[in-house]
Amino acid sequence: VPSPPLCRCGMEREGGDGGLALRVLQNRSHEKMKLRKRKSTLYLSAQERSTGRRRDLLGENIYLVLFTIALRIFNCFLVQTSFVPDEYWQSLEVAHHMVFNNYGYLTWEWTERLRGYTYPLIFASIYKILHLLGQDSVQLLIWIPRLAQALLSAVADIRLYSLMKQLENREVARWVFFCQLCSWFTWYCCTRTLTNTMETVLTIIALFYYPLEGSKSMNSVKYSSLVALAFIIRPTAIIPWIPLLFRHFCQEQRKLDLILHHFLPVGFVTLSWSLIIDRIFFGQWTLVQFNFLKFNVLQNLGTFYGSHPWHWYFSQGFPVVLGTHLPFFIHGCFLAPKRYRILLVTMLWTLLVYSMLSHKEFRFIYPVLPFCMVFCGYSITHLKTWKKPALSFLFLSNMLLALYTGLVHQRGTLDVMSYIQKVCYNSPNKSSASILIMMPCHSTPYYSHVHCPLPMRFLQCPPDLTGKSQYLDEADIFYLNPLNWLHKEFQDDASLPTHLIIFSVLEEEISAFLISSNYERTAVFFHTHLPEGRIGSHIYVYERKLKGKFNKMKF
């Protein structure tokens, strides 16, 4: 298009100056110009603007992370009951013995080298720091390890949310996260110092790095390292991962590289670490993982602590652990995409393997509970009409169970330890008081919850490792004839303990001994609304009168 005459005339009037200016502009057009990058948010994409506005922690919004941590800390303080002896005797009691070895107690599993020191070493490190700082009070020894476990559980919750956000979308992730947080069994277990709790934490975080279809955080070294650590802490942790590892191996194109450059180095490093730690504390080279599997799986000696029918996990264990999540789980199984079938296979495999073992417990299947939350969240996402009532039902039913089991059911065995603390600290001479716990063995914690060199004794119950027929442990012998056992054990008054701790069901049977030995009940603690067998509804503390003068403890 020709230029307007006015423009041409203007150029002609400017003469040589106009031509020079035109040439300069043409030369500049061939140069690379460095433009200043504008920082105005008007030039940023929506994703960049949202990332710039928020602060991230663990790859998620910092407020979501802080909320989860605060909730798990709140969760920790609202669990004031006992679940199983292992939460103390395989973690805190071992850690207390490691740091304060002038007094403490190790159960038969440690003399037989069935347990490794890797997990207790975490709490022993905490105890050592508190001791060096001069802050090793009994309350800190009780609560700091549990708070540490609560923080780890919060990290696992966040990782589950992040994984689902990658695999699906923010809405599905939100409802999976909701189901995870309001699960009564997760609430009940996730702040306890159980190896099963750590196994569950490591399983969730490892799943975040596992190569699931659609995952953006897959990392073979990271997930295999976490699985190996879980195996070191609790060897049966490998059971849920067998189908997952097999699937990864089958889908991996570079199979040899996966084994030689990922799995074998990770396995070598973690196993070496475990061997070195156990060598330090046992004083000899020990492969505790083999000893553990030999005792619990190959020899199946766990039946000494109880046995259940093969279908127990399907008929009782799994439904109880899921609770009111069960209908949502079943509904979600029909709705979830095919890529989640591997999670269903993993759950079914785990239940089947554990069903083959005679000794069964609810906590053994805790590691697969987060897998169930994926299907529960998927179910809630697809609810339309009944979503609000369903959410209210799920939240209220789980919170009632969580609060009852966390604050009421089986709390007496912890409350009585507070009484023993006062017995120790109020005694002018630590050796003047002594405690005999006449309850099913390991019913209470021990020195980790007293932290005082008070002479204490409990009824022991090691299993028969020699193959004797009709073997009876000390606790069994006691309960066959409590009076006879007491008279044989304490033949003179000087050997009698100052305090006896019993369940209420035993009181009538040994009342003659209590009267003749001048014992008087000084404290009563509620334990459970569901007494069973040797476990009573209350715990009684009896104190012995000395020379006709009864020195009553204040509580």
Side-chain angles (χ1 to χ4, degrees):
V1 178
S3 301
L6 181 62
C7 293
R8 283 202 303 271
C9 292
M11 291 295 291
E12 287 173 0
R13 283 196 301 269
E14 290 183 16
D17 293 339
L20 178 62
L22 182 62
R23 283 195 298 273
V24 170
L25 290 173
Q26 288 174 344
N27 291 334
R28 288 184 178 178
S29 66
H30 295 289
E31 295 177 358
K32 292 182 179 180
M33 303 294 290
K34 293 184 178 180
L35 299 176
R36 179 173 59 87
K37 186 176 180 179
R38 296 180 181 269
K39 295 183 178 180
S40 171
T41 56
L42 294 174
Y43 294 88
L44 299 176
S45 66
Q47 182 179 0
E48 289 173 327
R49 287 199 300 271
S50 63
T51 304
R53 281 198 302 266
R54 77 182 188 198
R55 297 178 183 178
D56 282 0
L57 184 64
L58 297 175
E60 293 298 336
N61 187 294
I62 190 171
Y63 299 110
L64 176 66
V65 176
L66 292 178
F67 164 77
T68 309
I69 291 173
L71 180 67
R72 287 308 180 202
I73 291 174
F74 183 63
N75 181 172
C76 179
F77 288 114
L78 286 184
V79 175
Q80 302 173 17
T81 56
S82 61
F83 180 22
V84 289
D86 280 8
E87 62 184 297
Y88 315 113
W89 293 91
Q90 306 303 340
S91 55
L92 300 185
E93 295 302 331
V94 182
H96 191 277
H97 185 270
M98 292 165 71
V99 178
F100 310 101
N101 55 11
N102 57 327
Y103 64 100
Y105 188 89
L106 293 178
T107 59
W108 65 271
E109 290 101 325
W110 299 91
T111 57
E112 296 295 329
R113 300 190 297 278
L114 296 181
R115 305 280 184 172
Y117 279 95
T118 303
Y119 184 57
L121 185 60
I122 299 171
F123 306 119
S125 303
I126 296 173
Y127 284 179
K128 190 64 177 180
I129 293 171
L130 291 173
H131 178 60
L132 292 175
L133 295 174
Q135 299 296 321
D136 54 325
S137 67
V138 64
Q139 291 303 319
L140 289 180
L141 294 183
I142 293 171
W143 288 105
I144 295 297
R146 291 198 53 206
L147 287 170
Q149 191 67 68
L151 290 175
L152 291 173
S153 294
V155 172
D157 294 334
I158 292 296
R159 284 301 186 217
L160 182 62
Y161 172 79
S162 301
L163 175 63
M164 292 312 301
K165 199 167 66 171
Q166 293 175 17
L167 298 179
E168 296 294 335
N169 52 57
R170 193 179 296 273
E171 184 184 7
V172 176
R174 185 188 300 121
W175 294 124
V176 171
F177 189 60
F178 171 81
C179 291
Q180 171 72 1
L181 293 185
C182 77
S183 166
W184 82 271
F185 196 75
T186 299
W187 180 279
Y188 186 56
C189 292
C190 73
T191 65
R192 297 184 184 275
T193 51
L194 278 166
T195 54
N196 308 91
T197 301
M198 183 59 80
E199 175 190 354
T200 305
V201 166
L202 294 173
T203 296
I204 297 175
I205 301 175
L207 193 66
F208 176 76
Y209 295 109
Y210 180 79
L212 287 169
E213 182 183 346
S215 174
K216 301 174 184 176
S217 56
M218 57 185 70
N219 187 310
S220 297
V221 173
K222 287 184 179 180
Y223 101 76
S224 58
S225 298
L226 291 164
V227 172
L229 180 58
F231 173 77
I232 293 302
I233 290 174
R234 188 173 181 84
T236 50
I238 197 64
I239 292 174
W241 281 98
I242 290 175
L244 290 166
L245 291 168
F246 181 73
R247 173 187 177 274
H248 184 194
F249 178 77
C250 291
Q251 293 187 345
E252 179 63 42
Q253 294 181 350
R254 302 168 63 185
K255 292 180 173 56
L256 191 62
D257 181 69
L258 179 68
I259 294 175
L260 295 180
H261 295 92
H262 294 85
F263 289 169
L264 285 182
V266 165
F268 176 77
V269 170
T270 51
L271 191 60
S272 299
W273 175 253
S274 172
L275 284 169
I276 292 170
I277 291 174
D278 292 330
R279 173 68 177 82
I280 293 171
F281 293 101
F282 281 123
Q284 57 182 292
W285 293 108
T286 304
L287 188 61
V288 294
Q289 291 75 27
F290 172 75
N291 294 340
F292 182 90
L293 291 172
K294 179 183 176 183
F295 179 87
N296 288 286
V297 179
L298 301 179
Q299 297 178 342
N300 203 19
L301 292 176
T303 55
F304 181 80
Y305 295 105
S307 60
H308 299 81
W310 68 268
H311 57 78
W312 186 82
Y313 281 119
F314 294 95
S315 59
Q316 297 181 52
F318 190 65
V320 168
V321 167
L322 263 180
T324 52
H325 283 74
L326 183 59
F328 300 95
F329 168 73
I330 296 172
H331 181 230
C333 288
F334 290 100
L335 296 175
K338 291 183 179 179
R339 64 173 175 269
Y340 294 121
R341 284 181 180 175
I342 183 60
L343 300 184
L344 280 176
V345 169
T346 300
M347 285 185 283
L348 183 61
W349 161 264
T350 303
L351 293 177
L352 286 172
V353 172
Y354 276 120
S355 294
M356 291 188 290
L357 303 177
S358 298
H359 181 60
K360 300 175 176 65
E361 294 187 36
F362 294 112
R363 62 189 174 105
F364 291 169
I365 58 173
Y366 177 36
V368 298
L369 184 59
F371 292 26
C372 303
M373 299 302 113
V374 173
F375 299 94
C376 295
Y378 219 90
S379 170
I380 292 175
T381 303
H382 288 79
L383 289 178
K384 302 300 180 184
T385 308
W386 298 96
K387 180 174 284 188
K388 287 185 178 180
L391 291 174
S392 300
F393 166 73
L394 196 61
F395 176 77
L396 292 175
S397 59
N398 276 276
M399 283 304 98
L400 286 174
L401 272 172
L403 292 175
Y404 178 77
T405 55
L407 294 173
V408 180
H409 182 60
Q410 295 186 170
R411 67 168 298 131
T413 50
L414 290 181
D415 290 339
V416 76
M417 299 311 291
S418 299
Y419 183 91
I420 295 176
Q421 293 168 24
K422 290 178 169 32
V423 169
C424 183
Y425 292 114
N426 291 339
S427 297
N429 183 4
K430 306 301 182 191
S431 60
S432 63
S434 57
I435 307 292
L436 173 59
I437 303 172
M438 295 190 296
M439 304 162 75
C441 69
H442 306 133
S443 291
T444 66
Y446 217 45
Y447 284 108
S448 66
H449 282 56
V450 178
H451 194 49
C452 175
L454 181 69
M456 295 197 295
R457 180 184 172 185
F458 65 95
L459 302 175
Q460 298 192 35
C461 57
D464 176 30
L465 301 177
T466 60
K468 293 180 181 178
S469 59
Q470 298 180 342
Y471 170 78
L472 293 175
D473 59 42
E474 185 181 36
D476 288 332
I477 295 171
F478 169 80
Y479 279 103
L480 283 176
N481 193 331
L483 271 178
N484 186 51
W485 186 91
L486 286 166
H487 287 303
K488 284 184 177 180
E489 197 71 22
F490 306 106
Q491 296 182 2
D492 59 274
D493 291 348
S495 62
L496 287 169
T498 59
H499 294 77
L500 300 177
I501 299 174
I502 64 171
F503 275 120
S504 52
V505 292
L506 187 64
E507 183 184 44
E508 185 177 352
E509 196 167 355
I510 64 169
S511 59
F513 173 83
L514 296 173
I515 295 171
S516 63
S517 301
N518 297 320
Y519 281 100
E520 184 171 319
R521 190 199 300 173
T522 57
V524 178
F525 299 95
F526 170 79
H527 184 62
T528 179
H529 291 113
L530 304 170
E532 182 182 8
R534 299 172 180 176
I535 299 174
S537 60
H538 291 76
I539 293 174
Y540 295 158
V541 178
Y542 276 84
E543 185 176 354
R544 187 165 180 256
K545 297 177 183 179
L546 298 176
K547 296 181 181 180
K549 183 180 179 180
F550 176 60
N551 184 20
K552 188 173 181 179
M553 296 294 301
K554 292 182 179 179
F555 186 73

